[in-house]
Amino acid sequence: LFRSGIKPWVRTFSAVQAKIRVTDAPVTAPTPGPGVAAEVPADRARLRADEDRLLARNPQHYTLQLMAMDLDAVTKRVNKWGVESQAVYFRTLKQDKELVAVSYGDYSTRDAAIQDSKQLIRKIKGITPWIRQFGSIHDSITEFRAIAR
C-alpha cells in the first residue's frame, strides 16, 4: 500500500490542539531598537476578519495563494511587494505548526487566475503563486478553527 515508504501519521485532535496555542490577544512585534521604525502590529482580530471575508467568497471561484509562513514574515513580504491592499490572510496548519497564508484576488475562472498569476510573477520576482479554489481555503480555515478552539 505504501510503496514510497511513507506511512500516514495518525493523531488525535487533542494531540494537535496541545501543540497549538491560539488566543484572541494581539500579536505584537518585538520592541525595535533605537533608530528602527516600529512596525504596525498585526493581530488576531485582523486574521479572524480576513478569514471571515474569505469564507464569504464563492467556493467555486479561484484565488492565488502567495505564501504561507509565520505572521511576521508574511507581513514583511506583503509590505515589500506592495500588495497590502489586495492581500487577505488566513491561518492554516502544516505539520502541526500554525502558518499564515496570503490569498490574492478573486477570479471566477481558473483561466483568469492563471492570467493574473503570470502578471504577478513578472511584477514580483521569485514568486510562484498557487491557484486554489476558495472552497479548499474554506476547508483549511474550518479545519484550523476546529482544532484551535
Side-chain angles (χ1 to χ4, degrees):
L1 179 67
F2 299 106
R3 293 180 190 167
S4 66
I6 298 173
K7 296 180 182 174
W9 179 22
V10 179
R11 56 194 177 210
T12 64
F13 276 127
S14 59
V16 175
Q17 284 177 317
K19 294 201 176 256
I20 302 170
R21 298 290 177 247
V22 177
T23 68
D24 289 328
V27 176
T28 57
T31 306
V36 177
E39 292 185 29
V40 177
D43 61 20
R44 297 285 172 194
R46 155 81 195 267
L47 291 171
R48 183 77 182 201
D50 276 7
E51 290 168 357
D52 289 342
R53 286 176 50 203
L54 290 170
L55 289 169
R57 302 281 172 93
N58 183 329
Q60 300 303 312
H61 281 198
Y62 296 85
T63 190
L64 305 177
Q65 182 174 317
L66 304 184
M67 71 185 108
M69 306 169 116
D70 65 86
L71 182 59
D72 187 48
V74 163
T75 303
K76 286 179 182 176
R77 287 196 180 181
V78 165
N79 290 337
K80 177 183 172 188
W81 294 337
V83 295
E84 308 91 288
S85 64
Q86 300 99 332
V88 185
Y89 299 166
F90 65 98
R91 295 167 293 181
T92 188
L93 291 175
K94 184 170 184 174
Q95 298 175 347
D96 296 337
K97 182 177 178 185
E98 178 183 338
L99 298 176
V100 176
V102 178
S103 169
Y104 178 96
D106 184 338
Y107 311 94
S108 59
T109 66
R110 183 172 182 80
D111 287 340
I114 290 168
Q115 289 306 311
D116 205 31
S117 174
K118 290 176 183 177
Q119 292 177 6
L120 201 58
I121 289 169
R122 284 192 290 276
K123 178 181 174 185
I124 304 170
K125 301 296 181 210
I127 193 169
T128 307
W130 175 20
I131 298 171
R132 293 184 70 180
Q133 279 192 298
F134 280 108
S136 73
I137 291 176
H138 296 173
D139 292 344
S140 293
I141 293 169
T142 302
E143 178 184 357
F144 179 85
R145 287 182 176 181
I147 293 171
R149 284 186 204 180

